[in-house]
């Protein structure tokens, strides 16, 4: 993958909150950690194939690459609970992420139509670093399901040899729900050994 404006911007925008919260994962010298992680971040991205027109959720993959770069750069590996807390706070305390999530209306016709188009595109992709999913509409706009049978993050983490760190990223779906007026539920994940990620979204009353 070519390192362009999006990849550089993601690092610039999220580095401050990733750096600020390293004490959660047992690191006091945050500047040194992030210096190492930045090098690893760009190395990870360079090994990922270019996204094509049928590939989806690139920003999700880039965010996960940043998390993976930090994890790989740690001398002592934290627990999944520590990593989950770290990633949630690093992402959700970021002002850009807060604005983005709070302005995302999951329960509008426009959003759900866009989601369905992305799902249709995803069925045509052969890139292992992307996602493949379908959308199941609820009785009203206030609920829907997304069923994933391929996850770009899970593939990337396996390729990097750190599959054990993936559950923290899966848990972030619940953290995002806090900022999107959503009750999020799921029975299984690909990273947890399931056959799919069966995500259910219900508008919070």
């Amino acid at each position: 993958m070519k390192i362009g404006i999006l990849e550089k911007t993601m690092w610039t925008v999220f580095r401050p909150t990733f750096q600020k919260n390293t004490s959660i994962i047992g690191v006091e010298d945050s500047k040194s950690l992030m210096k190492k992680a930045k090098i690893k971040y760009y190395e990870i991205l360079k090994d990922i194939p270019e996204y094509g027109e049928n590939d989806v959720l690139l920003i999700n993959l880039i965010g996960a690459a940043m998390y993976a770069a930090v994890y790989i750069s740690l001398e002592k590996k934290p627990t999944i609970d520590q990593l989950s807390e770290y990633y949630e706070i690093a992402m959700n305390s970021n002002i850009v992420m807060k604005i983005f999530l709070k302005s995302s209306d999951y329960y509008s016709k426009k959003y759900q139509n866009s989601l369905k188009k992305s799902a249709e595109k995803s069925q045509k992709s052969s890139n292992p670093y992307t996602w493949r999913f379908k959308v199941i509409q609820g009785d009203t706009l206030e609920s829907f399901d997304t069923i994933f049978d391929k996850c770009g993050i899970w593939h990337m983490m396996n390729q990097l040899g750190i599959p054990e760190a993936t559950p923290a990223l899966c848990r972030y779906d619940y953290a995002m729900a806090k900022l999107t007026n959503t009750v999020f539920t799921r029975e299984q994940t690909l990273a947890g050994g399931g056959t799919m990620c069966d995500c259910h979204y219900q508008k919070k009353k």
Side-chain angles (χ1 to χ4, degrees):
M1 179 183 292
K2 294 178 182 177
I3 306 302
I5 294 175
L6 177 60
E7 292 78 10
K8 292 178 181 178
T9 299
M10 283 284 287
W11 179 269
T12 300
V13 168
F14 287 99
R15 181 202 55 76
T17 49
F18 270 70
Q19 182 171 319
K20 180 181 179 181
N21 294 287
T22 58
S23 61
I24 297 171
I25 49 175
V27 176
E28 297 304 326
D29 188 356
S30 58
K31 289 184 179 179
S32 178
L33 173 64
M34 296 308 292
K35 186 176 180 180
K36 293 176 185 176
K38 183 177 183 179
I39 295 170
K40 193 63 187 176
Y41 169 73
Y42 288 122
E43 288 177 356
I44 291 170
L45 293 179
K46 285 177 181 177
D47 287 338
I48 295 174
E50 289 293 332
Y51 259 41
E53 63 179 1
N54 295 317
D55 299 326
V56 297
L57 302 179
L58 176 57
I59 290 179
N60 298 51
L61 188 66
I62 294 173
M66 189 169 181
Y67 163 83
V70 170
Y71 180 77
I72 291 170
S73 301
L74 293 169
E75 294 182 8
K76 182 179 179 181
K77 305 306 184 190
T79 66
I80 283 297
D81 287 340
Q82 288 174 307
L83 288 166
S84 299
E85 181 183 1
Y86 170 67
Y87 191 64
E88 175 181 346
I89 293 175
M91 295 297 284
N92 280 5
S93 66
N94 188 285
I95 187 63
V96 173
M97 194 64 171
K98 278 184 178 180
I99 292 172
F100 172 74
L101 289 176
K102 287 185 176 181
S103 64
S104 298
D105 186 0
Y106 287 7
Y107 308 101
S108 68
K109 191 173 290 186
K110 180 180 179 181
Y111 178 88
Q112 292 184 25
N113 283 342
S114 176
L115 189 64
K116 288 175 185 176
K117 288 179 182 178
S118 291
E120 290 170 3
K121 285 172 55 179
S122 77
Q123 300 297 320
K124 303 172 186 176
S125 175
S126 59
N127 184 349
Y129 285 86
T130 189
W131 282 255
R132 184 171 61 219
F133 71 105
K134 60 183 178 181
V135 177
I136 300 174
Q137 182 63 57
D139 293 335
T140 70
L141 286 173
E142 294 190 351
S143 70
F144 61 92
D145 296 316
T146 55
I147 310 297
F148 293 82
D149 63 11
K150 188 171 77 169
C151 172
I153 288 176
W154 179 226
H155 177 78
M156 180 185 73
M157 300 296 275
N158 276 283
Q159 291 298 108
L160 293 171
I162 53 171
E164 75 281 356
T166 312
L169 294 166
C170 299
R171 291 184 191 181
Y172 183 59
D173 288 325
Y174 294 90
M176 284 195 293
K178 296 175 183 178
L179 297 179
T180 57
N181 198 35
T182 294
V183 176
F184 178 82
T185 54
R186 183 170 54 208
E187 295 297 321
Q188 57 179 310
T189 64
L190 293 165
T195 58
M196 66 184 79
C197 298
D198 53 344
C199 306
H200 179 70
Y201 298 81
Q202 175 68 53
K203 187 175 183 178
K204 189 180 294 184
K205 302 297 183 182

